[in-house]
């Protein structure tokens, strides 16, 4: 049985090795997805702190004075004092100094899609191949989980965790494969299983079924006058903060006249980039229609909110990001050391 499992483990790894290396390497880089784009494009993201942020409505008025037309229907704000806010006018992305309201840079959708951070993300998720690539990544993720689990089974009898650095490079490679694999096994299980959770909606539905009551959903917008003026962004933000004290605004989106205003908020204990809490506001009256709070969510919904941060390592901030990065590097190294073990055994037989 053990010999059969070794053969299956080896050949399954060899078959998916190239794709697994690519997803592991891109996953390691994506731990720093936001930081990569900000580091490569400081002219878009970096601003000089100067007192307090301007009111959102003032920022938008100054931007629209320079970019007249369809107007801004949403804005993403940041509590980080040296980071730009963002908005869109038509298809053009704007990067805004929140202290002056000046547009410090622009980016088209094509330029955004061609950025390194975005290309890494698309490669990691779908290998630049759309639905086919997504299916391949899902299959490889299942296989990666299988390899980790079978690797633990194969490691268990000998429980090898020491690397004999004084031995031949072949022995060192053998020891590294086993020792690194078992040390990172738990995190690799978390990464691969959460990746499947993200990919397959059925898993999410199963998790959400743990809720004792249905989760809050986005409400419909009550009817109102078609010629109503655009609501104040600051008023919407103030209503959202009052509904969820202690949470920071991530973005305000007016959407279309058929939908209420959506305000995204982030509590300090939420490590996802934009937070998972939402306040839905009547665009005509300013009344809060519904509140979706991570603090009030049921067990299943709360777990589902965590799936992305569990997969990326954001779950506990910088410490888990560092651990996830190392585990992704180990996953990459497992393919390399495993291939070398197979190659050495092959040469020995010939």
């Amino acid at each position: 049985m053990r010999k059969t499992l070794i053969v299956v483990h080896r050949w399954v790894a060899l078959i998916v090795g190239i794709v697994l290396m690519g997803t592991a390497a891109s996953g390691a880089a994506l731990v720093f997805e936001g930081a990569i784009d900000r580091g490569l494009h400081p002219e878009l993201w970096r601003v000089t702190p100067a007192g307090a942020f301007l009111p959102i409505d003032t920022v938008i008025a100054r931007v629209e004075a320079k970019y007249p037309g369809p107007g801004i229907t949403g804005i993403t704000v940041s509590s980080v004092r040296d980071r730009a806010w963002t908005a869109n006018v038509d298809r053009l992305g704007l990067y805004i100094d929140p202290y002056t309201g000046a547009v410090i840079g622009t980016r088209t959708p094509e330029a955004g899609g061609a950025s390194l951070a975005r290309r890494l993300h698309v490669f990691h998720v779908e290998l630049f191949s759309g639905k086919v690539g997504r299916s391949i990544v899902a299959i490889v993720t299942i296989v990666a989980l299988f390899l980790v689990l079978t690797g633990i089974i194969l490691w268990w009898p000998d429980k090898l965790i020491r690397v004999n650095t004084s031995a031949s490079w072949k022995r060192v490679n053998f020891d590294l494969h086993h020792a690194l694999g078992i040390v990172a096994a738990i995190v690799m299980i978390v990464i691969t299983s959460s990746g499947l959770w993200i990919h397959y909606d059925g898993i999410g539905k199963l998790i959400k079924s743990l809720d004792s009551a249905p989760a809050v959903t986005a409400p419909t917008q009550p009817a109102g006058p078609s010629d109503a003026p655009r609501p104040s962004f600051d008023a919407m933000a103030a209503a959202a903060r009052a509904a969820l004290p202690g949470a920071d605004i991530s973005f305000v989106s007016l959407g279309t006249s058929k939908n209420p205003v959506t305000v995204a908020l982030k509590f300090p204990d939420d490590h996802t980039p934009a937070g998972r809490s939402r306040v839905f506001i009547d665009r005509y009256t300013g009344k809060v229609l519904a509140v979706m709070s991570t603090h009030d969510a049921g067990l299943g919904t709360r777990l589902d909110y965590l799936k992305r941060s569990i997969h990326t390592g954001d779950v506990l901030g910088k410490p888990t990001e560092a651990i996830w990065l190392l585990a992704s590097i180990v996953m990459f190294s497992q393919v390399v050391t495993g291939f070398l073990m197979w190659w050495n055994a092959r040469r020995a037989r010939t």
Side-chain angles (χ1 to χ4, degrees):
M1 179 64 182
R2 177 176 168 81
K3 290 183 179 180
T4 301
L5 190 58
I6 291 173
V7 172
V8 172
H9 181 90
R10 176 189 302 142
W11 282 102
V12 167
L14 288 170
I15 291 170
V16 304
I18 295 297
V19 178
L20 183 55
M21 287 174 68
T23 53
S26 57
L30 286 174
V31 170
F32 307 105
E33 182 176 2
I36 287 172
D37 195 56
R38 293 190 295 272
L40 292 177
H41 301 282
E43 72 283 0
L44 297 178
W45 290 104
R46 192 169 298 158
V47 298
T48 302
F53 295 145
L54 291 174
I56 300 175
D57 288 325
T58 302
V59 170
I60 289 176
R62 293 184 182 183
V63 171
E64 290 182 337
K66 184 176 181 179
Y67 292 90
I72 293 174
T73 58
I75 186 167
T76 300
V77 305
S78 174
S79 59
V80 179
R81 290 186 55 78
D82 63 350
R83 188 174 302 168
W85 293 2
T86 62
N88 287 84
V89 171
D90 199 8
R91 297 181 70 249
L92 187 65
L94 308 179
Y95 296 79
I96 308 162
D97 186 328
Y99 302 99
T100 65
V103 175
I104 61 174
T106 63
R107 187 151 64 177
T108 64
E110 292 75 18
S115 66
L116 176 60
R118 183 59 188 167
R119 290 178 69 81
L120 282 169
H121 184 93
V122 174
F123 176 80
H124 184 73
V125 172
E126 57 185 43
L127 305 175
F128 302 132
S129 302
K131 291 182 178 179
V132 174
R134 284 178 177 268
S135 297
I136 293 173
V137 171
I139 292 170
V140 170
T141 305
I142 294 172
V143 172
L145 179 58
F146 168 81
L147 291 172
V148 176
L149 295 175
T150 55
I152 294 172
I153 294 171
L154 293 172
W155 171 87
W156 189 258
D158 298 326
K159 299 180 180 61
L160 178 63
I161 200 167
R162 178 177 175 271
V163 178
N164 186 356
T165 56
S166 62
S168 67
W169 75 267
K170 294 180 182 180
R171 178 66 196 194
V172 171
N173 180 77
F174 180 89
D175 290 349
L176 282 172
H177 185 80
H178 290 79
L180 291 177
I182 199 63
V183 167
I186 298 299
V187 178
M188 289 193 291
I189 289 172
V190 171
I191 292 173
T192 52
S193 57
S194 59
L196 295 176
W197 184 1
I198 291 171
H199 184 83
Y200 291 107
D201 292 337
I203 298 176
K205 291 178 181 178
L206 179 62
I207 297 296
K208 287 182 178 179
S209 68
L210 297 173
D211 287 349
S212 57
V216 176
T217 57
T220 56
Q221 170 60 49
S226 59
D227 59 347
R230 185 175 71 183
S232 161
F233 280 79
D234 285 306
M236 301 298 106
R241 289 191 184 98
L244 288 178
D248 290 327
I249 303 291
S250 297
F251 64 79
V252 182
S253 175
L254 298 186
T256 67
S257 59
K258 297 180 180 179
N259 303 312
V261 175
T262 301
V263 183
L265 299 98
K266 178 178 179 179
F267 283 104
D269 56 347
D270 186 352
H271 293 286
T272 54
R276 295 291 187 181
S277 298
R278 301 288 184 269
V279 176
F280 301 96
I281 301 173
D282 189 312
R283 65 192 310 112
Y284 302 117
T285 67
K287 177 183 177 182
V288 173
L289 299 175
V291 176
M292 185 185 298
S293 171
T294 55
H295 288 181
D296 298 331
L299 175 61
T301 298
R302 189 171 294 192
L303 289 172
D304 197 62
Y305 286 158
L306 284 173
K307 65 185 177 185
R308 184 193 180 280
S309 55
I310 289 174
H311 185 66
T312 61
D314 295 333
V315 61
L316 294 177
K318 297 302 180 185
T320 47
E321 286 180 3
I323 293 170
W324 263 235
L325 169 64
L326 293 174
S328 297
I329 294 172
V330 168
M331 192 176 295
F332 181 94
S333 74
Q334 289 295 97
V335 179
V336 176
T337 54
F339 174 80
L340 291 174
M341 287 166 58
W342 168 78
W343 185 258
N344 291 332
R346 178 177 176 273
R347 290 185 63 186
R349 290 193 298 269
T350 58

